[in-house]
């Protein structure tokens, strides 16, 4: 398939020219701003029209009932849904008594620019009202990385051609009407107008609304303050009700005259703090940002983003589409985690209500590796959030009659929220995903305090889970049965290779950590016999292999099943399969929703030879339909490793453009943060060949023909390491890190890297060990236009 562009291709901006109301919701996701604490969708300033209004606070949710046709032991009783909280984005405009609504009048020009270098969203517009009055509008919006509670908008209008009477209305609105959340009337009732007013107040240009949720009993406060500028002598009035506050300012503009308003909005929420405490918190945040001022806030934002790009940017020469897309993806990854500060990173970040705002395993498997290498503080905070839910995970394990901790498949607060247990409760690999993300952070940063206080308890409790879940069989191997691996088109299987390999590493690293922190482990009731049992299980882990086909099996016996009829599915346009076929049929056939064994060969690659990877990649690529946005990047990483560089580039393109081209037709609900992280993974781990097995950095770079040069940086143990790759060689340098000496490997060759002494090494030739793999009919990866 050829994918058409919607946004102008530029290296550091995402620019939309014109306005397509049919695609408004997708643009709102693309132009969403967040800092990990506050998230605001890219709705038009005036509010109407909109695709999906949305303002979110991380982990601010409401509980709702989970419906079941039949009850069952261990089923979660309630779910959690992220809430659209008080909307502070709104600035309505009336032009000679006619509301600015782009469905009426004539739109001469409309342009939105997400500036990835400054962290600002700009809008430029010229509109003619139905009565013939013309105004120009410029607005700039930001969600502050430096002042966590603050969102701000600068909004300016100019009269064109004739005197024009204008009125600005800046609003705070709670309990906005939204599209239906759920077909379940019980859930719909809970989520309809979920905020109950507690207090409202106004003074001068400042207003405050305080609400709490009905069921989850969380309290939030939102306040706004304003500076009016442009024409002198413009007064303002403030009106307030329990769910609504509005500042109104009006005047008559001569042609060329301007009226502007700078709006600062502050948010705070808590499950424990009192109403006066929240009121004071928001009031203080507004006072602080008024002291900073708009220009100061913009300067702070640019400084924060500059620091991020200095150690995170990937410079791609030869593919401008991917260049823009990978920077767009990195920016959204930063937005998702920068100031989350011990709260979850959801699958959609804070860009939409998709997946009810839940966090899944893809946070630890796809997003945290990127943040660990580029913004390690954000990765640490996400892992500390998991630690804060450890007692809930212990309770869940006890309910499942297991030892240790069983982390939830999907959640906001830490409780299991999935009603479909074969793809959730049985997806035990999430526990190893979390544990090994903590290990990776320790390897990359050398943070001993984190290792002792955070990684150790999670490693211990997840190791206990695996020890109680698995067993030694007659073959003396350690088996784990009745689980679901990353491929959700296979469920309740024996010895899923990914799960087993990740569990083995989890057990091994738990044993190492317990030995390293003996006193702390003793306080967790770990003894020498338990450590020895973990090491024994890890060493004996079962890894199923098909001797006849000479490939590892995704799970025991998987290669013996009947192959799915891909031709029929392509003919009937029956994708994604779960919407066109019963799971019973899917589960008993050879068809993969997403990378599974291939994913294991990336993260546990030192458990396989290159020949084993090449054969397995060719075998499973022909079975993988990529009905998940998580798949393309993993297939791209392994395609690059086994020498299929052009195919890897195609998978890179798909991962990178998941939201800019709306490839799965669901970006309206929010961006796919893991797929956007996957663009970095495909470039850096695929074409850069980066691996961190055993806590050692190795590289095996090779570029596809379409990329002429690639440069990227990673943060490793306090140093910034830069790698520049050309078709002929790779140059490694350390740009800070004092007198640190790095021991690295390049295509298997060990070398040392010292500060200010770059090392350039030749890239050896490579020949793929198999022919170019095929994909299921109609499921070849997406391609961008070569002329872009």
């Amino acid at each position: 398939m050829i994918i058409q562009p919607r946004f102008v291709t530029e290296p550091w901006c995402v620019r939309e020219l014109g306005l397509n109301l049919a695609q408004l919701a997708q643009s709102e996701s693309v132009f969403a701003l967040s800092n990990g604490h506050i998230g605001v969708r890219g709705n038009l300033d005036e509010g109407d029209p909109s695709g999906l209004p949305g303002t979110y606070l991380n982990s601010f949710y409401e509980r709702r009932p989970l419906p079941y046709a039949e009850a069952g032991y261990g089923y979660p009783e309630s779910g959690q849904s992220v809430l659209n909280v008080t909307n502070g984005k709104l600035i309505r405009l009336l032009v000679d008594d006619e509301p600015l609504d782009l469905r009426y009048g004539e739109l001469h020009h409309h342009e939105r620019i997400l500036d990835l270098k400054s962290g600002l969203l700009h809008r430029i517009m010229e509109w003619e009202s139905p009565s013939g009055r013309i105004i120009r509008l410029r607005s700039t919006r930001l969600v502050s990385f430096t002042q966590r509670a603050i969102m701000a908008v600068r909004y300016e209008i100019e009269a064109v051609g004739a005197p024009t009477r204008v009125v600005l209305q800046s609003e705070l609105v709670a309990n906005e009407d939204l599209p239906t959340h759920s077909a379940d009337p019980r859930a719909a009732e809970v989520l309809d107008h979920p905020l109950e007013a507690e207090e409202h107040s106004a003074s001068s240009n400042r207003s405050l609304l305080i609400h709490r949720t009905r069921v989850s009993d969380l309290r939030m406060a939102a306040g706004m303050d304003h500076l009016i500028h442009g024409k002198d002598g413009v007064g303002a009035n403030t009106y307030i009700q329990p769910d609504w506050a509005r500042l109104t300012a009006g005047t008559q503009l001569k042609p060329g005259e301007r009226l502007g308003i700078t709006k600062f909005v502050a948010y705070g929420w808590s499950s424990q703090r009192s109403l006066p405490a929240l009121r004071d918190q928001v009031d203080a945040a507004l006072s602080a940002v008024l002291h900073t001022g708009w220009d100061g806030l913009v300067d702070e934002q640019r400084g924060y983003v500059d620091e991020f790009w200095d150690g995170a940017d990937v410079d791609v020469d030869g593919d401008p589409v991917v260049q823009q897309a990978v920077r767009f993806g990195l920016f959204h990854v930063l937005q998702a985690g920068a100031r989350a500060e011990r709260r979850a990173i959801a699958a959609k970040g804070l860009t939409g209500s998709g997946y009810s705002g839940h966090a899944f395993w893809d946070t630890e498997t796809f997003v945290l590796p990127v943040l660990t290498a580029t913004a390690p503080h954000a990765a640490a905070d996400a892992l500390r959030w998991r630690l804060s839910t450890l007692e809930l995970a212990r309770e869940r394990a006890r309910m499942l009659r297991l030892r240790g901790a069983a982390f939830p498949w999907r959640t906001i607060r830490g409780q299991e929220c999935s009603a479909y247990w074969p793809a959730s409760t049985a997806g035990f690999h999430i526990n190893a995903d979390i544990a090994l993300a903590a290990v990776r952070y320790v390897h990359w940063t050398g943070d001993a305090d984190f290792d002792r206080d955070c990684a150790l308890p999670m490693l211990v409790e997840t190791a206990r889970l695996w020890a109680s879940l698995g067993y030694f069989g007659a073959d003396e191997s350690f088996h784990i049965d009745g689980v679901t691996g990353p491929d959700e088109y296979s469920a309740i299987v024996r010895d899923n290779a990914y799960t087993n390999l990740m569990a083995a590493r989890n057990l091994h690293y738990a044993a190492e950590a317990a030995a390293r922190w003996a006193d702390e482990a003793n306080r967790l009731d770990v003894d020498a016999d338990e450590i020895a049992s973990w090491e024994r299980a890890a060493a004996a882990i079962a890894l199923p292999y098909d001797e006849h086909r000479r490939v590892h099996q995704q799970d025991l016996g998987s290669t013996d099943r009947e192959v799915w009829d891909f031709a029929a599915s392509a003919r009937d346009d029956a994708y994604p399969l779960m919407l066109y076929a019963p799971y019973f049929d899917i589960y008993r056939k050879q068809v993969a929703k997403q990378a599974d064994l291939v994913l294991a060969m990336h993260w546990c690659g030192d458990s396989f030879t290159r020949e084993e990877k090449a054969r397995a990649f060719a075998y499973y690529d022909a079975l993988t339909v990529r009905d998940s946005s998580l798949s393309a990047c993993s297939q791209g990483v392994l395609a690059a490793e086994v020498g299929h560089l052009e195919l890897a580039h195609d998978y890179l393109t798909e991962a990178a453009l998941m939201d800019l081209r709306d490839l799965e037709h669901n970006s309206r609900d929010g961006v796919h943060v893991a797929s956007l992280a996957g663009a970095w993974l495909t470039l850096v781990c695929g074409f850069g060949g980066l691996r961190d097995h055993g806590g050692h950095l190795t590289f095996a770079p090779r570029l596809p023909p379409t990329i002429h040069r690639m440069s990227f940086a990673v943060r490793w143990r306090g140093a910034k390491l830069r790698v520049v790759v050309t078709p002929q060689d790779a140059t490694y340098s350390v740009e800070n890190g004092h007198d640190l000496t790095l021991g690295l490997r390049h295509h298997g060759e060990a070398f040392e890297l010292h500060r200010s002494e770059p090392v350039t090494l030749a890239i050896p030739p490579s020949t793929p060990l198999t022919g170019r793999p095929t994909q299921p009919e109609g499921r070849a990866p997406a391609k961008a236009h070569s002329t872009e």
Side-chain angles (χ1 to χ4, degrees):
M1 124 178 111
I2 302 295
I3 44 181
Q4 300 288 348
R6 266 203 60 216
F7 302 98
V8 179
T9 301
E10 300 178 57
W12 283 104
C13 292
V14 177
R15 186 185 306 267
E16 178 188 60
L17 298 176
L19 191 69
N20 186 332
L21 296 182
Q23 296 177 318
L24 197 55
Q26 182 212 355
S27 293
E28 290 168 351
S29 297
V30 167
F31 291 129
L33 297 178
S34 173
N35 60 12
H37 175 60
I38 304 167
V40 298
R41 283 176 60 80
N43 306 116
L44 302 176
D45 300 283
E46 302 79 38
D48 295 321
S50 67
L52 175 66
T55 302
Y56 311 104
L57 297 176
N58 194 339
S59 299
F60 192 87
Y61 68 94
E62 184 61 297
R63 289 202 307 270
R64 55 184 172 79
L66 287 176
Y68 297 100
E70 296 181 12
Y73 175 81
Y75 286 7
E77 295 181 358
S78 64
Q80 300 165 353
S81 291
V82 66
L83 290 182
N84 177 42
V85 299
T86 306
N87 184 358
K89 303 185 295 291
L90 290 170
I91 301 178
R92 304 191 192 275
L93 171 64
L94 289 90
V95 179
D96 280 359
D97 301 325
E98 292 180 301
L100 172 57
D101 186 322
L102 300 184
R103 293 167 292 192
Y104 304 93
E106 185 174 351
L107 187 61
H108 296 298
H109 179 78
H110 194 275
E111 184 175 350
R112 286 190 285 181
I113 309 106
L114 177 60
D115 186 337
L116 305 173
K117 270 197 167 182
S118 66
L120 304 176
L121 176 64
H122 302 284
R123 183 182 179 209
I124 304 168
M125 183 181 73
E126 183 171 297
W127 178 73
E128 184 175 347
S129 72
S131 63
R133 290 291 187 264
I134 299 175
I135 59 99
R136 291 195 184 106
L137 165 67
R138 289 181 174 270
S139 74
T140 300
R141 182 185 298 173
L142 69 84
V143 172
S144 176
F145 288 119
T146 58
Q147 300 190 36
R148 189 181 76 143
I150 297 298
M151 186 271 291
V153 184
R154 172 159 284 197
Y155 190 95
E156 187 175 72
I157 54 174
E158 176 186 350
V160 178
T164 303
R165 190 169 60 254
V166 297
V167 176
L168 289 174
Q169 298 174 317
S170 174
E171 300 187 6
L172 283 176
V173 178
N175 290 316
E176 292 179 292
D177 290 330
L178 295 173
T180 302
H181 283 81
S182 172
D184 177 10
R186 299 172 302 162
E189 181 181 357
V190 169
L191 298 176
D192 182 39
H193 289 70
L195 298 175
E196 294 186 336
E198 288 196 304
E199 182 178 290
H200 58 283
S201 61
S203 176
S204 187
N205 292 346
R206 183 175 296 192
S207 302
L208 176 74
L209 300 178
I210 300 179
H211 289 79
R212 71 182 310 136
T213 58
R214 283 182 266 165
V215 182
S216 60
D217 200 29
L218 306 179
R219 175 180 284 122
M220 66 151 295
M224 65 176 181
D225 208 335
H226 305 81
L227 300 173
I228 299 171
H229 44 87
K231 188 173 180 180
D232 294 333
V234 177
N237 297 305
T238 300
Y239 309 87
I240 191 161
Q241 295 182 3
D243 279 356
W244 166 81
R246 182 176 71 199
L247 176 137
T248 301
T251 190
Q252 179 154 315
L253 297 177
K254 297 176 183 177
E257 283 190 325
R258 299 179 180 180
L259 174 64
I261 190 168
T262 299
K263 178 179 187 177
F264 300 105
V265 184
Y267 290 95
W269 79 268
S270 177
S271 61
Q272 301 181 58
R273 289 202 301 278
S274 66
L275 187 151
L278 271 182
R279 178 203 306 136
D280 293 349
Q281 176 189 348
V282 167
D283 187 70
L286 288 172
S287 298
V289 75
L290 283 170
H291 176 74
T292 304
W294 172 261
D295 291 340
L297 197 63
V298 169
D299 288 344
E300 288 180 359
Q301 189 84 340
R302 180 61 183 257
Y304 189 100
V305 176
D306 280 349
E307 172 66 17
F308 171 72
W309 287 123
D310 184 56
D313 185 31
V314 182
D315 186 32
V316 180
D317 182 10
D319 191 335
V321 173
V322 164
Q323 177 66 91
Q324 178 191 46
V326 70
R327 285 174 174 155
F328 168 77
L330 279 168
F331 183 72
H332 267 290
V333 169
L334 174 68
Q335 289 197 129
R339 301 298 304 272
E341 296 176 3
R342 306 195 186 193
R343 300 200 186 276
I345 296 177
K348 297 285 190 177
L350 295 174
T351 68
S353 57
Y355 301 118
S356 297
H358 291 166
F360 297 77
W361 69 289
D362 41 302
T363 297
E364 282 77 18
T365 304
F366 298 92
V367 179
L368 293 198
V370 179
L371 288 175
T372 297
T374 60
H377 72 280
D381 278 340
L383 290 164
R384 290 188 178 101
W385 166 71
R386 286 290 191 186
L387 178 66
S388 75
T389 69
L390 185 59
E391 186 51 45
L392 292 172
R394 290 189 182 108
E395 291 176 10
R396 180 65 174 164
R398 288 193 292 269
M399 176 175 283
L400 298 174
R401 300 177 183 176
L402 297 167
R403 295 189 66 222
F407 284 97
W409 184 251
R410 56 186 301 170
T411 190
I412 294 176
R413 170 64 183 87
Q415 296 87 352
E416 179 61 74
C417 292
S418 174
Y420 185 60
W421 69 269
S424 56
T425 298
F428 283 99
H429 67 83
I430 188 173
N431 298 285
D433 299 327
I434 293 167
L436 295 185
V439 171
R440 173 170 291 109
Y441 174 80
V442 172
H443 284 164
W444 278 71
T445 63
D447 186 339
D449 290 341
F450 180 95
D451 186 30
R452 179 192 62 236
D453 301 333
C454 186
L456 174 66
M458 291 198 292
L459 282 164
V460 165
E461 297 297 0
T462 49
R464 285 171 170 162
L465 177 78
W466 296 118
S468 64
L469 189 62
Y471 66 96
F472 285 94
D475 60 355
E476 299 187 355
S477 294
F478 190 74
H479 299 274
I480 304 174
D481 294 345
V483 300
T484 299
D487 170 28
E488 294 160 13
Y489 284 173
S490 300
I492 321 302
V493 300
R494 295 186 64 193
D495 287 330
N496 171 255
Y498 176 87
T499 302
N500 283 14
L501 286 171
M502 294 288 283
R505 288 165 193 251
N506 190 162
L507 289 159
H508 170 71
Y509 285 122
E512 281 194 345
R516 189 164 55 248
W517 304 104
D519 291 342
E520 289 77 7
N522 184 59
R523 284 193 283 272
L524 295 171
D525 296 324
V526 178
D527 59 26
D529 289 342
E530 187 172 27
I531 293 173
S533 72
W534 295 343
E535 287 284 28
R536 178 172 171 246
I541 199 73
L543 188 59
Y545 186 77
D546 186 329
E547 296 286 354
H548 175 67
R549 296 175 180 85
R550 298 178 64 223
V551 293
H552 284 87
Q553 294 180 319
Q554 180 173 294
D555 50 78
L556 188 62
S558 64
T559 53
D560 295 327
R561 300 179 193 134
E562 182 184 357
V563 175
W564 186 266
D565 187 348
F566 297 109
S569 295
R571 181 182 63 247
D572 299 335
D573 194 23
Y575 289 105
L577 286 183
M578 70 273 201
L579 300 183
Y580 296 93
Y583 271 113
F584 165 74
D585 201 22
I586 294 172
Y587 284 162
R588 63 196 187 95
K589 302 285 180 63
Q590 284 196 70
V591 54
K593 180 180 181 181
Q594 62 206 69
D596 191 310
L597 182 68
V598 164
L599 184 65
M601 289 182 166
H602 173 195
W603 294 117
C604 306
D606 52 346
S607 294
F608 304 91
T609 67
R610 185 168 182 265
E611 291 76 12
E612 289 172 338
K613 293 176 187 177
R615 289 195 300 268
F617 180 75
Y619 185 88
Y620 288 98
D621 221 43
L623 300 174
T624 305
V625 294
R626 297 191 322 288
D627 283 350
S628 166
S629 63
L630 302 179
S631 194
C633 65
S634 298
Q635 290 172 266
V637 169
L638 207 66
E641 182 174 354
V642 300
H644 297 292
L645 296 172
E646 293 185 28
L647 178 59
H649 185 265
D650 291 343
Y651 282 129
L652 163 64
T653 300
E654 182 168 306
L657 296 178
M658 186 61 62
D659 294 304
L660 287 177
R661 306 289 171 86
D662 196 14
L663 298 186
E664 291 205 342
H665 311 294
N666 61 1
S667 293
R668 61 171 289 116
D669 298 325
V671 301
H672 299 75
V673 178
S675 184
L676 297 179
W680 185 95
L681 291 171
T682 312
L683 282 167
V684 174
C685 299
F687 299 136
L690 182 150
R691 298 291 185 274
D692 60 0
H693 302 315
H696 303 287
L697 275 192
T698 64
F699 299 87
R702 279 196 181 90
L703 298 180
T706 42
I707 296 179
H708 313 312
R709 178 185 177 277
M710 181 176 73
S711 171
F712 63 90
V714 296
R715 300 186 184 277
W716 174 262
R717 298 180 184 173
K720 186 176 69 176
L721 170 65
R722 182 166 298 282
V723 183
V724 179
V725 185
T726 71
Q728 295 79 33
D729 55 43
T731 299
Y732 302 87
S733 59
V734 179
E735 298 185 1
N736 60 15
H738 310 293
D739 297 324
L740 180 71
T741 297
L742 298 182
L744 306 174
R745 283 186 177 271
H746 168 89
H747 285 282
E749 176 186 347
F751 70 99
E752 287 190 344
L753 186 63
H754 307 277
R755 187 182 181 191
S756 303
E757 297 179 21
V759 174
T760 299
L761 300 169
I763 294 175
S766 174
T767 303
L769 299 180
T770 68
R772 178 175 169 122
T774 60
Q775 293 76 46
E777 187 171 338
R779 304 302 284 174
K783 295 177 181 288
H785 276 305
S786 60
T787 56
E788 291 186 332

